[in-house]
Amino acid sequence: MAYLTIDAKAANTYDAIVIGSGISGGWAAKELTGKGLKTLVLERGRDVKHVTDYPTANMNPWEFEHRGQVPLAVRAQYGKTRSFLREETLHWAIKPDEQPFVEEQPFTWTRGYHVGGKSLLWARQTQRWSEFDFEGPARDGFAVDWPIRYADLAPWYSHVEKFAGISGNKDGLPTLPDGEFLPPIELNCVETHLQGVIAQKYKDRQLIQGRCAHVTKPQPIHTAQGRAQCQHRTLCNRGCPFGGYFSSNASTLPWAEKTGNMTLRPHSVVHSIIYDEKKGKASGVRVVDANTMQMMEFYANIIFVNGSALNSNLILLNSTSSRFPNGLGNDSGLLGKYIAWHNYRGKISAEYDGFQDKTTDGRNPSNGYVPRFRNVYKQETDFLRGYATGVGGGRGMVQNREGMGLELKEHLLNPQLGPWHISGWMQGETVPLEKNHVRLDPNLKDKYGIPQLITSAGWAENDDKMVKDWMEQFTEMFTLAGFKNVKAVDTHSNPGSDIHEMGGVRMGKDPKTSLLNKWNQLHHCKNVFVTDGACMTSTSTQNPSLTYMAFTARAADYAVKEMKRKNL
Ligand SMILES: Cc1cc2nc3c(=O)[nH]c(=O)nc-3n(C[C@H](O)[C@H](O)[C@H](O)COP(=O)(O)OP(=O)(O)OC[C@H]3O[C@@H](n4cnc5c(N)ncnc54)[C@H](O)[C@@H]3O)c2cc1C
Ligand code: SF4
């Protein structure tokens, strides 16, 4: 590698570097630039500008050459990568050769490699963690105790909720703290029916309106971002020209851009973090330019690692030095271990004969939600922790395909409203286990010369028992509601299918049993902060991304204060 002159080095030097521009990286960029730091945001994928780079956002179904399907020949190029292969969202999919990895045990790893990351793909469900979630590990002794409690994060939840725009109802539930809500999105009649039955039959269970990152009533802070009210088109994962839902592209990144302090560098694949042995801290990052394949270096006083959970593990594992031969900050030897996720194996569906005179008016980009009710106040089942559940109902048009000739034509041209259907999907907490881990392959590398990640994570007996209980409980609730054809299944889906992978760089009080302190700061390399899913000590039953946002804003605030105190 060529040596940099002093001038070249200065040109590549910033106050802060953020690795990744997805949900957590976007927040790091917004907070750090907002506090005056010249910040370089490194993103491995291409640039995606809000509105102009959403090519299918306003297309009608008949405008797609293959009516939404992806031809088999094209599909084959994506290998077994489950990348939402629909014609309207194909532009977000990545091909396997972009980043092959080794599945020691089957693992579904969904990635979004472009500016905005998975913030353009997500389902936008956003719930706060409760006190019970942060207390979980301390209560049952699995994983280590969190170094913080709900009260530490509560003001930061408020901070990010106000800016992102979260719709929801103040339900007053101890298991699901209320937030700074915009008006909730209504449930439809079949969901409301189930809500009523659950409220009547159970003291400890509720079905609530899903809390989600949609601007249902724009506030001045949202219009200042250029975002408008959600139109309920439910075409969100094409990219939303209204900025109706929260994404880095519609919200945090343009806000950071406006400060004049952000430099966004797409096509920049971070290889590793550079550790300065003399200074005893990180000095910058090594990057492979995806267009030229050239290795480059960038320098900064503060580094935020936000590549999404498994990538952040990969980057730290690949950041070796004499001081840290096993990965940056890895004195405990636990880097890459205690990977956990959410258990999405349970699914249930049913039909309802009632409400024949009703249909839905408009579309619902959200769904209903049943917060955790298992093992909340005491251990009451033969498995640890619990599960939350998404619930959604609807009524579609069905075509009678019987008959011949004119009769068949008449049937096809006159579809009728079908029965109401309703479904539920489990979101269970998996208990982090040391044996569930990621590590680097000693031989295999990707096209950028970066070691391939080995994923080694599998289901435990606790997960099996939880799925069984979930299926029983939801079969009971659906049956009590008078639903017909109730079918509950254990899909045995791969770990990672939830797309909520977490852990590997967990937070904790003791540097011997954790990597990060209560400020998301590496215990042994204080100017490196990890605030995406990698930092999670346990997984709770809530969707995770709102918590990553809150952690990121809190850590950025601390980092800037520490920098001003000259501690970094
Ligand atoms: C279909 C779907 C539905 C989902 N629904 C929900 C939901 O309802 N609620 C919820 O809370 N979560 C949901 N999620 C998960 C949510 O998207 C993630 O939790 C969230 O995006 C994680 O944020 P992040 O910043 O860690 O990673 P990402 O948003 O994935 O961003 C990471 C960024 O880092 C970049 N990057 C990675 N490696 C490098 C590198 N080496 N160098 C430079 N850049 C790099 C990537 O290209 C990417 O842009 C869903 C995800 C999907 C796909
Ligand atoms: S439903 Fe709302 S957020 Fe989704 S695409 Fe439509 S306007 Fe945008």
Side-chain angles (χ1 to χ4, degrees), residues 57 124 213-215 228-246 363-365:
R124 311 159 306 279
H214 284 253
V215 178
Q229 185 167 342
C230 169
Q231 310 291 305
H232 291 215
R233 307 183 325 146
T234 61
L235 301 177
C236 314
N237 54 15
R238 298 180 185 186
C240 177
F242 300 93
Y245 72 89
F246 171 85
R363 298 175 185 179
N364 184 351

Short mmCIF file of all heavy atoms in Angstrom, two decimals, residues 57 124 213-215 228-246 363-365, ligand 2:
data_model
loop_
_atom_site.label_atom_id
_atom_site.label_comp_id
_atom_site.label_asym_id
_atom_site.label_seq_id
_atom_site.Cartn_x
_atom_site.Cartn_y
_atom_site.Cartn_z
N ALA A 57 -41.80 3.02 -7.31
CA ALA A 57 -42.71 3.51 -6.26
C ALA A 57 -44.10 3.87 -6.80
O ALA A 57 -45.09 3.66 -6.12
CB ALA A 57 -42.09 4.73 -5.57
N ARG A 124 -41.46 -1.87 9.90
CA ARG A 124 -41.70 -0.62 10.62
C ARG A 124 -42.42 -0.75 11.96
O ARG A 124 -42.94 0.20 12.49
CB ARG A 124 -42.43 0.38 9.69
CG ARG A 124 -41.77 0.50 8.35
CD ARG A 124 -42.65 1.03 7.27
NE ARG A 124 -43.87 0.33 7.09
CZ ARG A 124 -43.99 -0.81 6.39
NH1 ARG A 124 -42.95 -1.34 5.77
NH2 ARG A 124 -45.16 -1.41 6.30
N ALA A 213 -43.70 2.93 12.64
CA ALA A 213 -42.99 4.17 12.27
C ALA A 213 -43.62 4.81 11.04
O ALA A 213 -42.97 4.97 10.00
CB ALA A 213 -41.52 3.86 12.05
N HIS A 214 -44.90 5.15 11.15
CA HIS A 214 -45.62 5.83 10.05
C HIS A 214 -46.11 7.19 10.56
O HIS A 214 -46.66 7.28 11.66
CB HIS A 214 -46.82 5.01 9.60
CG HIS A 214 -46.43 3.84 8.76
ND1 HIS A 214 -46.65 3.78 7.41
CD2 HIS A 214 -45.79 2.69 9.09
CE1 HIS A 214 -46.17 2.64 6.93
NE2 HIS A 214 -45.65 1.96 7.94
N VAL A 215 -45.95 8.19 9.71
CA VAL A 215 -46.40 9.53 10.08
C VAL A 215 -47.90 9.63 9.79
O VAL A 215 -48.31 9.93 8.67
CB VAL A 215 -45.60 10.59 9.29
CG1 VAL A 215 -46.09 11.98 9.63
CG2 VAL A 215 -44.12 10.48 9.60
N ALA A 228 -44.45 13.68 4.47
CA ALA A 228 -45.89 13.96 4.49
C ALA A 228 -46.64 12.79 5.12
O ALA A 228 -46.06 11.75 5.42
CB ALA A 228 -46.37 14.18 3.07
N GLN A 229 -47.93 13.00 5.29
CA GLN A 229 -48.76 11.99 5.94
C GLN A 229 -48.79 10.68 5.14
O GLN A 229 -48.90 10.70 3.91
CB GLN A 229 -50.18 12.53 6.07
CG GLN A 229 -51.09 11.61 6.85
CD GLN A 229 -52.37 12.31 7.24
OE1 GLN A 229 -52.44 13.55 7.24
NE2 GLN A 229 -53.38 11.56 7.57
N CYS A 230 -48.72 9.58 5.86
CA CYS A 230 -48.83 8.25 5.23
C CYS A 230 -50.17 8.13 4.51
O CYS A 230 -51.22 8.44 5.07
CB CYS A 230 -48.67 7.18 6.29
SG CYS A 230 -49.07 5.53 5.71
N GLN A 231 -50.13 7.67 3.26
CA GLN A 231 -51.33 7.55 2.43
C GLN A 231 -51.94 6.15 2.46
O GLN A 231 -52.86 5.87 1.71
CB GLN A 231 -50.98 7.89 0.96
CG GLN A 231 -50.21 9.18 0.78
CD GLN A 231 -51.05 10.39 1.07
OE1 GLN A 231 -52.12 10.54 0.49
NE2 GLN A 231 -50.60 11.24 1.99
N HIS A 232 -51.39 5.28 3.27
CA HIS A 232 -51.90 3.90 3.39
C HIS A 232 -51.93 3.17 2.05
O HIS A 232 -52.88 2.48 1.75
CB HIS A 232 -53.29 3.90 4.03
CG HIS A 232 -53.28 4.30 5.47
ND1 HIS A 232 -54.11 3.77 6.41
CD2 HIS A 232 -52.49 5.18 6.13
CE1 HIS A 232 -53.86 4.31 7.59
NE2 HIS A 232 -52.89 5.17 7.44
N ARG A 233 -50.88 3.38 1.25
CA ARG A 233 -50.84 2.68 -0.04
C ARG A 233 -50.27 1.26 0.11
O ARG A 233 -50.40 0.44 -0.77
CB ARG A 233 -49.93 3.43 -1.04
CG ARG A 233 -50.27 4.89 -1.21
CD ARG A 233 -49.38 5.57 -2.26
NE ARG A 233 -48.03 5.08 -2.30
CZ ARG A 233 -47.30 4.97 -3.40
NH1 ARG A 233 -47.81 5.33 -4.56
NH2 ARG A 233 -46.06 4.51 -3.37
N THR A 234 -49.57 1.05 1.25
CA THR A 234 -48.87 -0.22 1.53
C THR A 234 -47.95 -0.67 0.37
O THR A 234 -47.90 -1.83 0.03
CB THR A 234 -49.83 -1.38 1.90
OG1 THR A 234 -50.70 -1.62 0.81
CG2 THR A 234 -50.62 -1.08 3.15
N LEU A 235 -47.25 0.28 -0.18
CA LEU A 235 -46.22 -0.05 -1.17
C LEU A 235 -44.86 0.31 -0.58
O LEU A 235 -43.93 0.68 -1.30
CB LEU A 235 -46.45 0.72 -2.47
CG LEU A 235 -47.80 0.50 -3.16
CD1 LEU A 235 -47.93 1.39 -4.39
CD2 LEU A 235 -47.96 -0.96 -3.56
N CYS A 236 -44.78 0.24 0.75
CA CYS A 236 -43.66 0.84 1.47
C CYS A 236 -42.29 0.33 1.02
O CYS A 236 -41.36 1.11 0.88
CB CYS A 236 -43.81 0.60 2.96
SG CYS A 236 -45.48 0.94 3.58
N ASN A 237 -42.17 -1.00 0.81
CA ASN A 237 -40.80 -1.48 0.55
C ASN A 237 -40.31 -1.24 -0.88
O ASN A 237 -39.22 -1.65 -1.25
CB ASN A 237 -40.61 -2.94 0.97
CG ASN A 237 -41.63 -3.85 0.35
OD1 ASN A 237 -42.31 -3.47 -0.60
ND2 ASN A 237 -41.74 -5.05 0.87
N ARG A 238 -41.08 -0.48 -1.65
CA ARG A 238 -40.53 0.03 -2.92
C ARG A 238 -39.78 1.34 -2.68
O ARG A 238 -39.13 1.88 -3.57
CB ARG A 238 -41.66 0.33 -3.91
CG ARG A 238 -42.47 -0.88 -4.29
CD ARG A 238 -43.53 -0.45 -5.26
NE ARG A 238 -44.44 -1.54 -5.59
CZ ARG A 238 -45.38 -1.43 -6.52
NH1 ARG A 238 -45.52 -0.29 -7.20
NH2 ARG A 238 -46.17 -2.43 -6.77
N GLY A 239 -39.94 1.90 -1.45
CA GLY A 239 -39.47 3.25 -1.14
C GLY A 239 -40.69 4.15 -1.20
O GLY A 239 -41.49 4.05 -2.14
N CYS A 240 -40.84 5.02 -0.22
CA CYS A 240 -42.08 5.82 -0.15
C CYS A 240 -41.81 7.28 -0.53
O CYS A 240 -41.12 8.00 0.18
CB CYS A 240 -42.65 5.77 1.26
SG CYS A 240 -44.11 6.81 1.41
N PRO A 241 -42.37 7.74 -1.67
CA PRO A 241 -42.12 9.12 -2.10
C PRO A 241 -42.69 10.16 -1.14
O PRO A 241 -42.27 11.31 -1.16
CB PRO A 241 -42.82 9.21 -3.46
CG PRO A 241 -43.57 7.95 -3.66
CD PRO A 241 -43.21 6.98 -2.60
N PHE A 242 -43.63 9.75 -0.27
CA PHE A 242 -44.20 10.69 0.71
C PHE A 242 -43.34 10.77 1.98
O PHE A 242 -43.58 11.62 2.83
CB PHE A 242 -45.60 10.24 1.12
CG PHE A 242 -46.56 10.18 -0.03
CD1 PHE A 242 -46.75 8.99 -0.73
CD2 PHE A 242 -47.25 11.31 -0.43
CE1 PHE A 242 -47.63 8.94 -1.80
CE2 PHE A 242 -48.13 11.26 -1.50
CZ PHE A 242 -48.32 10.06 -2.19
N GLY A 243 -42.39 9.86 2.09
CA GLY A 243 -41.66 9.78 3.37
C GLY A 243 -42.63 9.40 4.47
O GLY A 243 -42.45 9.76 5.63
N GLY A 244 -43.67 8.62 4.10
CA GLY A 244 -44.72 8.27 5.06
C GLY A 244 -44.21 7.40 6.19
O GLY A 244 -44.74 7.42 7.29
N TYR A 245 -43.20 6.60 5.91
CA TYR A 245 -42.60 5.79 6.99
C TYR A 245 -41.16 6.23 7.21
O TYR A 245 -40.55 6.87 6.35
CB TYR A 245 -42.69 4.29 6.67
CG TYR A 245 -41.78 3.78 5.57
CD1 TYR A 245 -40.50 3.34 5.86
CD2 TYR A 245 -42.21 3.72 4.25
CE1 TYR A 245 -39.66 2.85 4.86
CE2 TYR A 245 -41.39 3.23 3.25
CZ TYR A 245 -40.10 2.80 3.57
OH TYR A 245 -39.28 2.32 2.58
N PHE A 246 -40.63 5.84 8.35
CA PHE A 246 -39.26 6.23 8.68
C PHE A 246 -38.26 5.37 7.92
O PHE A 246 -38.31 4.14 7.98
CB PHE A 246 -38.99 6.08 10.19
CG PHE A 246 -37.54 6.26 10.53
CD1 PHE A 246 -37.02 7.54 10.72
CD2 PHE A 246 -36.69 5.17 10.58
CE1 PHE A 246 -35.67 7.71 10.97
CE2 PHE A 246 -35.34 5.34 10.84
CZ PHE A 246 -34.83 6.61 11.04
N ARG A 363 -56.15 0.57 2.95
CA ARG A 363 -55.19 -0.49 3.29
C ARG A 363 -54.51 -0.18 4.61
O ARG A 363 -54.45 0.98 5.01
CB ARG A 363 -54.15 -0.61 2.20
CG ARG A 363 -54.74 -1.00 0.88
CD ARG A 363 -53.67 -0.97 -0.17
NE ARG A 363 -54.22 -1.22 -1.50
CZ ARG A 363 -53.47 -1.23 -2.57
NH1 ARG A 363 -52.18 -1.01 -2.49
NH2 ARG A 363 -54.01 -1.44 -3.75
N ASN A 364 -53.97 -1.20 5.22
CA ASN A 364 -53.33 -1.02 6.52
C ASN A 364 -51.85 -1.39 6.44
O ASN A 364 -51.53 -2.57 6.26
CB ASN A 364 -54.04 -1.91 7.55
CG ASN A 364 -53.49 -1.71 8.95
OD1 ASN A 364 -52.48 -1.03 9.14
ND2 ASN A 364 -54.15 -2.29 9.93
N PRO A 365 -50.97 -0.40 6.55
CA PRO A 365 -49.54 -0.74 6.48
C PRO A 365 -49.00 -1.33 7.78
O PRO A 365 -47.82 -1.62 7.89
CB PRO A 365 -48.88 0.61 6.17
CG PRO A 365 -49.82 1.63 6.73
CD PRO A 365 -51.20 1.03 6.70
S1 SF4 B 2 -48.41 3.09 3.16
FE1 SF4 B 2 -47.71 5.07 3.82
S2 SF4 B 2 -45.58 4.77 4.16
FE2 SF4 B 2 -46.24 3.02 2.93
S3 SF4 B 2 -45.84 3.64 0.81
FE3 SF4 B 2 -47.89 4.26 1.33
S4 SF4 B 2 -47.72 6.38 2.03
FE4 SF4 B 2 -45.75 5.48 2.07
#
